[in-house]
């Protein structure tokens, strides 16, 4: 993934650390693809009826990871927006990962997906810890009055 | 949009009202397209240098609206996940709408986009009010123990 | 969908007719949502085993429709690129629609989806007929030498 | 990208080679992110006015690469659909890469993006060479009569 590394080499959303953002973005796209592959593989399993929740969470998690990766690749100065989105992504990964973990002993694709979800949730957590605190801030920033600098 | 109305005619995520979900999903895709059109039109404006934040927020808002519409079209039983995602969407719309509003007098595409953002934020707000309260709930649901039923 | 109508009110890719592009974009997002809703509903059907191909085509069609709607909302001067993408979208809709049609008697969501696919394929066809002929043209346009003007 | 490698480890669309599909999918997501980062960086450049086509092609290429990666991650039995989509992706990469190449001497992000586009176009080309010939085939496959097996 040399091209990906190069694409991710500069921080887009200070004061979040360059490495944290790049790692999170990379984990998001890896998780998106693992979720889509898992959902597709679930359709072929004999116990498909017990995998319906897994399929739905896979698809939802893939959508949220994809959007998060895209947004993190831009300079966005609204810390509260970033916080909510990355929280949603971490939650989607935690929920989907917990479901996949239930099936990990029987299905390799669920094991792989649970691991991708765990890694993505962890990296989202790192970004969240580096984002400025936004508690008590309730309105969108007025033009030119960004919270990130 | 008869096909869209039909596609949206059943509630996917009880106990949120059928109409609220369909209205929100519809507003999300309308907002996505308005944002993408606004970003594209901004590139042709003579005051492009003052529209850079607008372009970035348009693109971020489009990505988040798209993911929200997709997730709302499925049965997802994790209320906390839905809450964070719809909060992120409402915030993206509020922030992007506020920025577009600043340029609405000079650019019709910004006026249209601000209005689409306002409507989407409002409909996200309605979904949020109907979602069950999740305060105090800190872990993803254990398999088979959904919060929505 | 007033906001959507406003967002779609100007042609982005001449010489394609304004109305054709807006109609196609609208049909793409309606088809995306109908496909996602159909895939989700298929998971609840007792004959889920005979709906696996339907679910996969629904998801593929939704992804391609979404990308097509996004690309059509921008000024893109490479007619050959537009042609291939809209061809792929028309094909996805035709294939998915044919599969859904097989199940339309038993499942309302398949009937709705088949109709959304048919409409989208038809509108893609109209855009394709209006795009300039690109036969014999084999290389991407050199910078500043666009094929659409 | 260990998680990504694991997610991509089995061929989804025979008779295309496992490695070809995984390589193409990986190149698609790398190209998507490089394009989004390039578009964002272009907005900060002093010669932004000469980069408008670059921004638009970046965004279109990102959308098409994203959809292609998603579709390739599923078992899809319609070779003609895959062919059109991968052709569109290769074309988007070739067009966007050619534009970025024009600016590669002045902007590192354009150089990185041109390289990601080149790699993705090359890998799309490999998938296209492995897909079964579909010339002369003009209708979507009848249910149960797939072209890939």
């Amino acid at each position: 993934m040399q091209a990906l590394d190069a694409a991710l080499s500069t921080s887009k959303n200070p004061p979040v650390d360059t490495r944290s953002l790049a790692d999170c973005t990379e984990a998001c796209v890896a998780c998106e693809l693992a979720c889509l592959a898992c959902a597709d593989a679930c359709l072929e399993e004999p116990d498909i009826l017990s995998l319906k929740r897994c399929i739905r969470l896979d698809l939802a998690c893939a959508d949220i990871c994809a959007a998060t990766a895209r947004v993190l690749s831009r300079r966005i100065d609204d810390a509260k927006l970033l916080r909510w989105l990355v929280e949603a992504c971490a939650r989607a990964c935690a929920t989907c990962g917990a479901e996949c973990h239930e099936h990990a002993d029987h299905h390799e694709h669920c094991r792989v997906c649970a691991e991708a979800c765990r890694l993505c949730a962890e990296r989202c957590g790192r970004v969240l810890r580096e984002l400025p605190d936004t508690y008590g801030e309730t309105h969108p920033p007025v033009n030119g009055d960004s919270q990130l600098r």
Side-chain angles (χ1 to χ4, degrees), chain A residues 69-103:
Chain A
R70 294 174 72 98
V71 171
L72 290 184
S73 72
R74 297 190 195 97
R75 290 160 185 81
I76 298 293
D77 61 10
D78 184 339
K80 197 152 193 169
L81 165 55
L82 290 177
R83 182 169 288 281
W84 261 318
L85 180 61
V86 180
E87 288 268 22
C89 190
R91 177 77 186 192
C93 291
T95 308
C96 183
E99 178 68 28
C100 279
H101 184 72
E102 300 277 321
H103 311 285

Side-chain angles (χ1 to χ4, degrees), chain A residues 24 28 61 64-65 68 83-97 117-126 128:
Chain A
C24 188
C28 282
C61 191
I64 297 173
C65 283
T68 304
R83 182 169 288 281
W84 261 318
L85 180 61
V86 180
E87 288 268 22
C89 190
R91 177 77 186 192
C93 291
T95 308
C96 183
C117 286
R118 192 199 57 72
L119 187 67
C120 191
E122 185 184 299
R123 291 186 178 178
C124 286
R126 183 141 52 98
L128 288 170

Side-chain angles (χ1 to χ4, degrees), chain A residues 7 20 30 45 84 96 142:
Chain A
S20 301
E45 298 295 351
W84 261 318
C96 183
V142 178

Side-chain angles (χ1 to χ4, degrees), chain A residues 6-128:
Chain A
L8 298 173
S9 62
T10 50
S11 183
K12 303 306 184 310
N13 294 297
V16 178
D17 178 68
T18 302
R19 198 66 247 159
S20 301
L21 275 180
D23 286 350
C24 188
T25 305
E26 181 190 13
C28 282
V29 296
C31 191
E32 177 195 7
L33 293 177
C35 284
L36 292 174
C38 183
D40 191 79
C42 283
L43 291 173
E44 293 304 315
E45 298 295 351
D47 58 334
I48 182 174
L49 292 181
S50 66
L51 293 167
K52 296 194 290 182
R53 186 170 187 266
C54 187
I55 294 172
R56 286 195 170 104
L57 287 173
D58 277 339
L59 297 176
C61 191
D63 288 334
I64 297 173
C65 283
T68 304
R70 294 174 72 98
V71 171
L72 290 184
S73 72
R74 297 190 195 97
R75 290 160 185 81
I76 298 293
D77 61 10
D78 184 339
K80 197 152 193 169
L81 165 55
L82 290 177
R83 182 169 288 281
W84 261 318
L85 180 61
V86 180
E87 288 268 22
C89 190
R91 177 77 186 192
C93 291
T95 308
C96 183
E99 178 68 28
C100 279
H101 184 72
E102 300 277 321
H103 311 285
D105 286 347
H106 305 95
H107 302 308
E108 172 68 5
H109 51 85
C110 285
R111 197 194 58 72
V112 167
C113 190
E115 173 56 21
C117 286
R118 192 199 57 72
L119 187 67
C120 191
E122 185 184 299
R123 291 186 178 178
C124 286
R126 183 141 52 98
V127 168
L128 288 170

